[in-house]
Amino acid sequence: MQLVASNEQEFVLKKFSEHYSRSAQSVRKISEREFGFGGWDKKIESRHASFMNNDELKSYLVRNTPLYISYSVAFYEFPEARPMEKKNWKGAELVFDLDADHLQLACIAKHGKGWVCDECINAVKSETMKLIEEFLVPDFGLKKEEMSINFSGNRGFHVHVSSDEVSGLDGYARREVVDYIMGTGLDEAGVFYKEGTRMRGPKLGEGGWRGKIARTFAEKLEEQKLNELGIHTRTINRFYEKKKEVAEGLANGNWDVIHLPKPEEFWREISAKLKVNLGDQIDQMVTPDATKLIRVPDSLHGETGLAARKTSNLEKFDALKDAAVFDLNGKTNGVRVKVMKAPAFRLGEQTFGPYENYTLTLPEAAAIYLICKKAAVLA
Amino acid sequence: MVELEFIAKYPFSKEAREFVEEKGVKIDFDSIEKGVTRAVKALGDGEVPKPAIVAEKDLRNEVASYAVARMIVSILGGKYLVNKYAVAESKRAHAFLKTEKKEVVKGIAQQLGIKTAEEGNALLMNAFDYLRSTPRDVSYKLVNRDVSAGLVRLKEGELARVISEAVRKRIETELPLKAKNFPPEVVKAVEEVKEKLKEKMSAAPQARIVASEDYAPCIKKLLEDLKASENLPHTARFCLAVYLLNVTVKAEDVIKIFASAPDYNEQTTRYQVEYAKNKGYKMPGCAMMDLYGLCTQKCGVKNPLSYGKKRERFVKQNESENAKEKKFEWDDRY
Ligand code: SF4
Ligand SMILES: [Zn+2]
């Protein structure tokens, strides 16, 4: 923190302000939301702010330019009022916060905490797709039009569900959604049980987790990849020999043919494979907390200078390129910076670094990125 | 008569509302007496007894007693009593619903905005409606349910339980009644209710944890709220439970302190506290506490758990008049 003199702060804020003066704001139901702002030291320094309309927000952003802008997932009658109870909660979006940090990826060893690479982004992207394709759509019956997805501006994605159905859900109900998605509290004893001498278990056509388990098993059996489910090689070969019988059993919930010697391991592996990783207990609280403040979609992230860009095609979305708002090619004048230390990183089509105690001229976007990460100063 | 019986059983139903609108309810000696009993039983014992209904007059009184009890609860006011009353009425409704035919149960569900559909013998309901009214009970946890395309499959008898939860929630939002011009006889009867409740309350055992001086200010506040019989939000309960477990309050005692919450349910609380204990959840830091709106004063520690240890030092520093500026660090995840 001390490394960064006020020159850098001024420079970044000026650039942010210019960006906000160029772009229109389009926050849905803006007058019913609480806003919070953060600066150089803290992501939320003040909260309980509100705006009548998007123009008002825009002029605030141009004039007062915070480094971070968050808004409430909740809608209130009096968003400015405090304490919280006086705001009069009217409902809230259902949000999910997916972050590469939750995934304990191996690439961290390469670039260190606080930095992002394509591996990080791709991993968290596929986790987000899993949330939508395997849970929100098939199980909860939500439509894609009811969801909006945006890049967090740093290492993750946010999914906002805005349908009326979810609006009134209380904290308990939201917690239940999280538990479902993470497979928390799954009643292991109830999934497989004895009926007389027969071993009964989930059927292919069932809904919920039981169906997911049966279908995943069937799929891996078909692909001859049962080893991915924590089943020992010797056992696996027995299954492959009797493939047809096993598969028929699965259709009726008959698991007799499948004698699982180590059910706990199978259990652990299969649920780890199927669940969406929303991080630890505290990270997961983002969803149940119906008064949470979360980054305003399309606003700038003060740690990267990237936009929390909305996307309607997650699969094709290239965060490290599509979220860049400042000049990437050195078209405008480059910015001369002294980089203390930075690993190699990609922005747009270019890879920069690694740098250590090195002074050079960088395209604006890369310079801002490093200054925001407090890894560089103006030279 | 059949219809009147239905109305007496389900005074929150559409039929009951129409009946009251059309015919009105007679507030007389009988109905007030019944209303007082209903309120006292609900608030004191947590249960509204099923009435022995024989004559039409009894039925009318039963309907009126619901109206009177609601007025009484509204005059008494306070979230705790409202919630307690709602819990008792919902239990009563459940007892009746359990004995009804499927069609009747479905009809009442619909009135409460619970959409159901049939598939063969199974009953399906909208998953979000289900979550709105789900009993806080392990066997109703969504993760163990057959859910697909936004529909949850219910087992025999479960819809009745879900409806009774919806009844509880509805009463909780309806009361206290907005109207303030209650009949003077009812206002007078409230005194009687207060007297009767006092007797019952003083007999009830009260287990509470006295906040230690060493507890962080935010935790003391939560304990006070609980003492004032507020229903704490989920995050607040979670933080309080984890804190107490971490300062080695026994799980058994943690469960007891939640007993003063109006929606206290021993089984659920036990499950949640023991779950938190066995999983060894970490105490959220002060930055998170602040985000949840639970930090009451930035007292200079990073985690509420370090308050006790540091408190002494703060006191000393302040005494020697050289207290440094308190540093507060932000938790930088998200
Ligand atoms: S600073 Fe921490 S310990 Fe102190 S009141 Fe706030 S949350 Fe509690
Ligand atoms: Zn990476």
Side-chain angles (χ1 to χ4, degrees):
Chain A
M1 216 175 294
Q2 298 90 323
L3 293 172
V4 183
S6 60
N7 283 357
E8 282 70 28
Q9 299 188 23
E10 255 169 50
F11 171 72
V12 168
L13 289 175
K14 184 167 146 276
K15 289 293 165 192
F16 275 30
S17 170
E18 284 168 13
H19 167 76
Y20 287 125
S21 69
R22 284 192 298 266
S23 39
Q25 295 299 314
S26 59
V27 173
R28 198 174 71 88
K29 292 207 203 177
I30 187 168
S31 64
E32 298 179 19
R33 302 211 200 225
E34 176 197 353
F35 282 78
F37 303 106
W40 211 256
D41 295 332
K42 268 185 147 201
K43 285 184 179 169
I44 298 179
E45 280 173 338
S46 63
R47 53 186 294 180
H48 310 290
S50 79
F51 297 95
M52 291 301 291
N53 53 49
N54 279 293
D55 287 342
E56 205 183 289
L57 172 63
K58 174 173 173 161
S59 54
Y60 180 91
L61 296 180
V62 174
R63 258 183 295 123
N64 300 56
T65 322
L67 273 180
Y68 299 92
I69 314 155
S70 310
Y71 67 19
S72 59
V73 299
F75 305 110
Y76 301 104
E77 190 175 356
F78 309 113
E80 273 178 334
R82 51 199 307 187
M84 295 307 281
E85 302 87 70
K86 292 237 170 81
K87 292 188 193 300
N88 257 357
W89 190 87
K90 300 203 314 199
E93 294 174 339
L94 179 65
V95 295
F96 300 93
D97 173 17
L98 296 107
D99 198 299
D101 281 359
H102 305 163
L103 304 176
Q104 276 138 7
L105 300 165
C107 57
I108 290 279
K110 262 186 273 162
H111 51 67
K113 235 180 148 238
W115 297 86
V116 207
C117 71
D118 282 309
E119 208 176 319
C120 300
I121 298 283
N122 288 335
V124 69
K125 194 199 258 186
S126 67
E127 207 67 11
T128 309
M129 306 248 260
K130 191 178 356 167
L131 169 72
I132 295 168
E133 309 285 345
E134 307 290 332
F135 290 90
L136 297 184
V137 173
D139 294 352
F140 289 90
L142 290 168
K143 296 188 204 66
K144 293 247 173 90
E145 307 87 81
E146 297 169 318
M147 294 173 220
S148 111
I149 306 161
N150 66 280
F151 179 50
S152 73
N154 194 6
R155 285 184 287 261
F157 289 93
H158 297 162
V159 178
H160 296 239
V161 181
S162 56
S163 72
D164 292 341
E165 278 180 307
V166 306
S167 177
L169 296 179
D170 62 10
Y172 186 83
R174 286 164 201 260
R175 173 86 241 170
E176 279 289 286
V177 174
V178 172
D179 283 354
Y180 183 86
I181 283 163
M182 295 203 59
T184 307
L186 200 56
D187 175 17
E188 306 177 13
V191 177
F192 296 104
Y193 55 94
K194 285 259 178 199
E195 199 177 75
T197 56
R198 315 214 70 176
M199 180 68 171
R200 307 291 295 173
K203 292 185 236 206
L204 291 180
E206 267 181 288
W209 269 85
R210 294 172 55 88
K212 284 183 200 296
I213 291 167
R215 286 189 297 275
T216 306
F217 188 94
E219 207 176 280
K220 296 294 168 198
L221 176 71
E222 184 56 38
E223 295 168 359
Q224 308 239 28
K225 283 185 185 161
L226 280 176
N227 54 318
E228 289 178 14
L229 302 180
I231 304 172
H232 204 274
T233 325
R234 245 175 294 143
T235 327
I236 287 178
N237 291 332
R238 277 204 337 258
F239 291 151
Y240 292 159
E241 282 158 26
K242 294 191 190 171
K243 204 159 157 181
K244 196 160 160 269
E245 278 169 270
V246 176
E248 274 166 15
L250 285 173
N252 316 311
N254 173 11
W255 287 65
D256 271 345
V257 195
I258 309 152
H259 182 70
L260 289 173
K262 283 192 181 154
E264 320 79 46
E265 267 169 48
F266 168 69
W267 197 261
R268 225 187 8 253
E269 302 286 338
I270 201 161
S271 58
K273 197 159 228 68
L274 294 176
K275 76 170 189 190
V276 175
N277 194 338
L278 296 172
D280 67 19
Q281 188 65 24
I282 304 301
D283 301 322
Q284 293 167 29
M285 290 262 217
V286 171
T287 304
D289 182 357
T291 60
K292 171 88 188 163
L293 297 186
I294 195 160
R295 185 147 350 281
V296 175
D298 286 331
S299 69
L300 298 178
H301 192 298
E303 205 185 307
T304 58
L306 298 174
R309 199 71 97 195
K310 277 191 255 184
T311 169
S312 50
N313 188 344
L314 182 57
E315 205 165 354
K316 293 243 173 71
F317 183 76
D318 179 357
L320 298 177
K321 179 174 163 210
D322 299 340
V325 300
F326 298 107
D327 181 51
L328 263 171
N329 321 311
K331 248 191 285 159
T332 58
N333 295 327
V335 182
R336 193 136 183 94
V337 288
K338 176 174 180 247
V339 190
M340 282 77 81
K341 195 173 169 109
F345 64 97
R346 176 172 79 88
L347 271 187
E349 311 292 352
Q350 280 183 75
T351 302
F352 301 91
Y355 306 118
E356 189 159 359
N357 284 325
Y358 189 62
T359 303
L360 79 168
T361 303
L362 284 172
E364 204 173 49
I368 291 173
Y369 186 78
L370 289 176
I371 293 173
C372 282
K373 293 229 175 256
K374 295 169 186 168
V377 289
L378 294 170
Chain B
M1 178 75 180
V2 172
E3 206 204 346
L4 199 51
E5 195 182 322
F6 180 87
I7 289 168
K9 281 187 194 161
Y10 308 113
F12 50 82
S13 67
K14 188 172 101 252
E15 287 84 348
R17 224 175 308 134
E18 283 166 6
F19 175 84
V20 172
E21 263 164 36
E22 251 175 59
K23 310 245 166 80
V25 282
K26 252 222 269 99
I27 307 292
D28 56 11
F29 182 79
D30 277 355
S31 61
I32 289 185
E33 195 189 274
K34 276 211 156 186
V36 166
T37 313
R38 191 170 186 138
V40 170
K41 285 271 183 197
L43 300 176
D45 306 336
E47 251 166 71
V48 182
K50 285 208 273 176
I53 293 165
V54 273
E56 189 180 324
K57 185 169 150 285
D58 295 329
L59 288 172
R60 285 186 189 281
N61 267 333
E62 181 71 15
V63 177
S65 78
Y66 178 68
V68 172
R70 284 160 64 95
M71 291 184 217
I72 291 173
V73 173
S74 299
I75 295 166
L76 286 168
K79 224 173 159 185
Y80 175 70
L81 293 180
V82 166
N83 295 357
K84 188 133 200 211
Y85 177 73
V87 170
E89 285 288 351
S90 111
K91 272 196 205 160
R92 175 184 182 274
H94 187 220
F96 285 126
L97 283 164
K98 274 198 289 199
T99 66
E100 301 282 9
K101 289 210 193 70
K102 197 156 136 196
E103 292 316 309
V104 179
V105 181
K106 272 173 66 182
I108 293 177
Q110 202 179 10
Q111 286 193 8
L112 291 164
I114 297 170
K115 298 176 279 296
T116 55
E118 250 166 298
E119 194 189 88
N121 281 327
L123 212 50
L124 305 174
M125 80 177 272
N126 177 286
F128 293 108
D129 287 348
Y130 178 85
L131 287 180
R132 248 181 277 282
S133 308
T134 181
R136 299 187 176 194
D137 190 309
V138 193
S139 64
Y140 283 82
K141 263 187 93 65
L142 193 67
V143 73
N144 293 315
R145 309 304 306 230
D146 185 330
V147 46
S148 161
L151 296 169
V152 179
R153 189 174 293 260
L154 297 179
K155 296 187 205 102
E156 178 106 28
E158 287 183 337
L159 184 58
R161 176 82 194 278
V162 172
I163 293 176
S164 66
E165 277 297 306
V167 168
R168 179 178 70 81
K169 291 218 164 151
R170 170 172 289 201
I171 295 175
E172 276 177 12
T173 54
E174 284 173 349
L175 299 187
L177 297 165
K178 296 263 166 352
K180 289 284 168 265
N181 50 336
F182 298 112
E185 302 93 308
V186 176
V187 177
K188 232 174 89 202
V190 168
E191 292 310 312
E192 192 188 332
V193 173
K194 277 190 194 157
E195 277 308 308
K196 290 196 168 149
L197 282 179
K198 230 184 254 159
E199 287 163 30
K200 281 190 194 273
M201 294 300 191
S202 59
Q206 310 232 331
R208 263 159 200 171
I209 285 187
V210 186
S212 146
E213 261 310 299
D214 281 348
Y215 286 1
C218 46
I219 299 298
K220 282 189 209 133
K221 168 81 169 55
L222 290 178
L223 285 169
E224 271 165 35
D225 286 353
L226 207 56
K227 230 186 239 170
S229 297
E230 293 277 351
N231 264 336
L232 297 183
H234 184 89
T235 33
R237 279 177 213 231
F238 169 79
C239 294
L240 181 57
V242 174
Y243 184 91
L244 293 173
L245 290 170
N246 267 293
V247 295
T248 65
V249 175
K250 282 203 225 75
E252 217 32 62
D253 293 332
V254 175
I255 292 165
K256 272 191 209 139
I257 70 145
F258 285 105
S260 57
D263 60 352
Y264 173 70
N265 170 318
E266 198 198 314
Q267 203 188 336
T268 317
T269 309
R270 179 172 297 278
Y271 171 75
Q272 283 163 351
V273 169
E274 274 165 10
Y275 195 81
K277 185 177 177 184
N278 297 337
K279 290 262 162 161
Y281 285 149
K282 273 185 283 166
M283 184 66 205
C286 293
M288 289 314 277
M289 292 291 283
D290 190 30
L291 263 191
Y292 299 150
L294 299 176
C295 174
T296 48
Q297 64 187 89
K298 306 245 160 95
C299 61
V301 293
K302 282 191 194 168
N303 189 299
L305 281 174
S306 19
Y307 180 79
K309 280 169 259 155
K310 296 223 174 140
R311 193 177 63 95
E312 266 170 62
R313 221 176 63 210
F314 282 130
V315 174
K316 269 196 209 123
Q317 271 181 348
N318 284 335
E319 276 168 359
S320 57
E321 299 287 320
N322 61 3
K324 284 190 206 120
E325 198 204 338
K326 289 175 193 167
K327 269 263 155 58
F328 180 76
E329 291 224 1
W330 190 251
D331 181 337
D332 252 349
R333 297 159 321 103
Y334 106 89

